[in-house]
Amino acid sequence: QEYRDTSKQQEIEQRRQQENLYPGSKGETEAEASAGTSQPTLQLQLRNNTHSLSLWQNLEAVQSSGLLSRLSQNEIRMQEAMFELVTSEASYYKSLEILETHFLRNPRLINTLSQSDTHFLFSNIEEVMEASERFLMDLEHRIEEAILISDVCDIVFHHAEKHFKVFITYVINQVYQEKTYRRILEENQAFRETMAELEKHSCVRGLSFTSFLILPFQRITRLKLLVQNILKTAEEHSERETNAIKAHQQLEQIVQECNEGVRKMSRTEELISIEKTLEFKTKSVPIISHSRWLLKKGEVQLMCGPKSTKTMRSRKLHQPICLFLFNNLLLITKRSGDKFQVLDSCTRAMLRTEDLEDQGQQLAFVFNLKMLENQEDRTVTYMIKTSSMSDKLRWICALTPNRRTRFTSAGPQHAETQDVCMLRLSTGWMMGERLHDGEKGWFPSRVVEEIHSKEVRAQNLREAYRVQQAHDSGGGPQVGTKSDL
């Protein structure tokens, strides 16, 4: 694909000759050893190719070289995996150029924006483009050294370590980027009309402006998967495997920093939004804090039984309330128009829950919530009714994730059964753990299928073990049976 002009290429070659960052691979490759001579260079001409490149093995130069008859199937797969990384980077950079030339450098569009809106909307995209161009330069030079690609993960590691920090800044700013874009669309008619025209242009291939804005973060996660494929194919204890592990580790670190940055920004924005809706009847509690975030919010019913407090007693059997559960605080509120009146609060560490057996239709899906020390420094217990068994179990797990903070009046057998139910399966829902990052959560049981083949399960475990070595440089990780799902 065409992604830069001839003058840029001349500058690239001059810089490469001066820096000589990546000399050719030492030693003979598998094909070179069998042929006895070095293979000619592979002139892909990515910058002048207007068509999508095919598989490595379908390239005319590869087929005419006779390599395919001498290479093992595993080496062919390795060549394809490395080739895909390079060609997908060229395609990605072409899309970045569209973002720059068609949107960022469009005078009609920019004239509709203030300087601050332009900054928030495009962030540091130019720095991201510069880092991506450097990366693509070195990848292209490596792939044109010889028909048989020696490696690409060493280049990935170098650039991820030295130049990819700009991706973190860009991704973190996406919270403000999206917010700014929505606001401008609503308030700025000139911007809205100009953007509608630009999105109709044939060069964007029917994609929206926001599709181009999210390209950098998509590319980082895509790169990690491409390196992961190379790692799975690399020969054990080889230099390629070492380079792939190092590259995977570095990319994973960047992805984690991106996720953590976005998470912190989103949490802060969410806290600010929530605080604006709260009205404290008595003691005010500061909501916004760098160490606080919202875990769960939802409406439940407060049962007005013998364990309800006098301040919340009602003639009705139950009344709707809304719970705001943060990582270190619980607010019990009552909706009043667009506001929420805070009725009570308690630190999360001082919460206890008690699961109750169903006692008829009116007391179905009920549990006790005990505050050992509420906002008035008193111990109170609320009887909470949810809409379903699944909802009840989720609230119990969220309010008291540590089983030692749950209590029950039933026998040991009942408690054990409920514990198994809460942690694994409840009316079509399952709780699981994602292998690559340890993230836990609920998901519908219908979206997963058990793998019955022992061979497939064994293969999945082997691949998961190799990939997760990139997360544990001190030794192989422990791979659980959740790979069977």
Side-chain angles (χ1 to χ4, degrees), residues 50-88:
T50 58
H51 303 286
S52 299
L53 291 170
S54 62
L55 296 173
W56 175 82
Q57 59 189 302
N58 291 339
L59 295 174
E60 183 179 351
V62 174
Q63 292 187 342
S64 62
S65 69
L67 278 173
L68 296 177
S69 62
R70 299 193 296 272
L71 292 177
S72 65
Q73 287 300 312
N74 191 70
E75 179 61 27
I76 292 177
R77 285 194 297 269
M78 172 61 75
Q79 292 295 311
E80 296 291 4
M82 294 189 291
F83 187 69
E84 181 184 8
L85 189 148
V86 178
T87 55
S88 64

Side-chain angles (χ1 to χ4, degrees), residues 199-224:
E199 288 184 332
K200 292 178 181 178
H201 196 280
S202 58
C203 73
V204 301
R205 304 182 301 278
L207 297 175
S208 65
F209 171 63
T210 54
S211 299
F212 291 91
L213 288 181
I214 64 174
L215 284 172
F217 186 45
Q218 289 179 331
R219 185 56 189 169
I220 282 293
T221 54
R222 175 64 175 160
L223 266 179
K224 191 181 76 167

Side-chain angles (χ1 to χ4, degrees), residues 275-407:
E275 188 179 54
K276 292 178 180 179
T277 67
L278 298 178
E279 293 180 343
F280 291 88
K281 296 183 64 175
T282 55
K283 183 178 179 180
S284 178
V285 178
I287 299 300
I288 300 176
S289 169
H290 292 296
S291 60
R292 177 172 295 147
W293 60 88
L294 183 70
L295 290 178
K296 186 174 176 63
K297 169 189 172 183
E299 290 191 356
V300 294
Q301 300 289 328
L302 177 63
M303 304 294 294
C304 298
K307 293 187 178 182
S308 298
T309 63
K310 294 180 180 179
T311 58
M312 300 185 68
R313 190 175 300 277
S314 171
R315 293 181 179 179
K316 296 180 180 180
L317 180 62
H318 51 74
Q319 60 175 305
I321 59 173
C322 185
L323 302 182
F324 288 84
L325 178 63
F326 303 92
N327 62 308
N328 54 9
L329 178 70
L330 172 68
L331 300 180
I332 296 181
T333 71
K334 180 180 179 181
R335 183 185 290 273
S336 177
D338 295 332
K339 300 290 185 178
F340 293 89
Q341 296 180 356
V342 179
L343 306 176
D344 207 348
S345 64
C346 180
T347 60
R348 194 181 181 204
M350 302 299 286
L351 296 175
R352 299 294 183 268
T353 57
E354 178 183 24
D355 192 7
L356 302 177
E357 289 185 352
D358 291 347
Q359 301 175 11
Q361 183 63 32
Q362 290 186 335
L363 293 179
F365 318 135
V366 174
F367 69 94
N368 282 334
L369 172 62
K370 187 174 185 180
M371 294 181 173
L372 300 181
E373 188 176 301
N374 73 344
Q375 62 185 17
E376 299 175 354
D377 299 325
R378 295 188 299 109
T379 299
V380 295
T381 300
Y382 298 107
M383 186 179 293
I384 305 297
K385 178 180 174 64
T386 62
S387 59
S388 65
M389 176 64 73
S390 175
D391 196 28
K392 180 181 76 169
L393 297 177
R394 290 188 186 201
W395 271 114
I396 291 177
C397 286
L399 290 163
T400 51
N402 189 338
R403 283 175 290 175
R404 289 178 295 181
T405 61
R406 304 173 199 159
F407 59 97

Side-chain angles (χ1 to χ4, degrees), residues 76-109:
I76 292 177
R77 285 194 297 269
M78 172 61 75
Q79 292 295 311
E80 296 291 4
M82 294 189 291
F83 187 69
E84 181 184 8
L85 189 148
V86 178
T87 55
S88 64
E89 185 66 25
S91 178
Y92 157 72
Y93 187 80
K94 175 64 177 178
S95 296
L96 283 185
E97 280 196 323
I98 295 175
L99 175 60
E100 180 189 41
T101 59
H102 189 63
F103 294 102
L104 178 58
R105 299 303 175 198
N106 187 287
R108 288 183 55 207
L109 183 68

Side-chain angles (χ1 to χ4, degrees), residues 31-189:
E32 290 170 345
S34 61
T37 59
S38 297
Q39 298 296 327
T41 59
L42 183 62
Q43 298 297 331
L44 292 178
Q45 297 180 339
L46 291 175
R47 57 196 172 279
N48 297 320
N49 191 347
T50 58
H51 303 286
S52 299
L53 291 170
S54 62
L55 296 173
W56 175 82
Q57 59 189 302
N58 291 339
L59 295 174
E60 183 179 351
V62 174
Q63 292 187 342
S64 62
S65 69
L67 278 173
L68 296 177
S69 62
R70 299 193 296 272
L71 292 177
S72 65
Q73 287 300 312
N74 191 70
E75 179 61 27
I76 292 177
R77 285 194 297 269
M78 172 61 75
Q79 292 295 311
E80 296 291 4
M82 294 189 291
F83 187 69
E84 181 184 8
L85 189 148
V86 178
T87 55
S88 64
E89 185 66 25
S91 178
Y92 157 72
Y93 187 80
K94 175 64 177 178
S95 296
L96 283 185
E97 280 196 323
I98 295 175
L99 175 60
E100 180 189 41
T101 59
H102 189 63
F103 294 102
L104 178 58
R105 299 303 175 198
N106 187 287
R108 288 183 55 207
L109 183 68
I110 297 303
N111 287 338
T112 66
L113 299 172
S114 66
Q115 187 175 357
S116 61
D117 283 345
T118 301
H119 171 72
F120 282 123
L121 199 57
F122 292 96
S123 189
N124 64 327
I125 188 62
E126 292 178 298
E127 293 180 351
V128 171
M129 286 192 66
E130 183 180 354
S132 298
E133 184 177 26
R134 289 180 180 178
F135 181 43
L136 187 54
M137 291 181 205
D138 289 334
L139 287 174
E140 184 184 40
H141 183 81
R142 173 62 60 81
I143 207 172
E144 290 183 348
E145 286 178 347
I147 293 178
L148 198 66
I149 307 169
S150 59
D151 200 357
V152 294
C153 287
D154 57 334
I155 300 177
V156 175
F157 171 71
H158 171 78
H159 283 267
E161 183 182 44
K162 301 295 183 182
H163 306 299
F164 283 3
K165 293 295 183 181
V166 295
F167 284 89
I168 300 174
T169 302
Y170 184 87
V171 172
I172 290 176
N173 287 337
Q174 278 191 305
V175 175
Y176 295 111
Q177 189 181 64
E178 294 171 0
K179 187 176 181 180
T180 300
Y181 182 64
R182 289 195 299 267
R183 176 181 58 79
I184 296 174
L185 279 181
E186 293 177 359
E187 301 175 355
N188 192 328
Q189 182 178 354

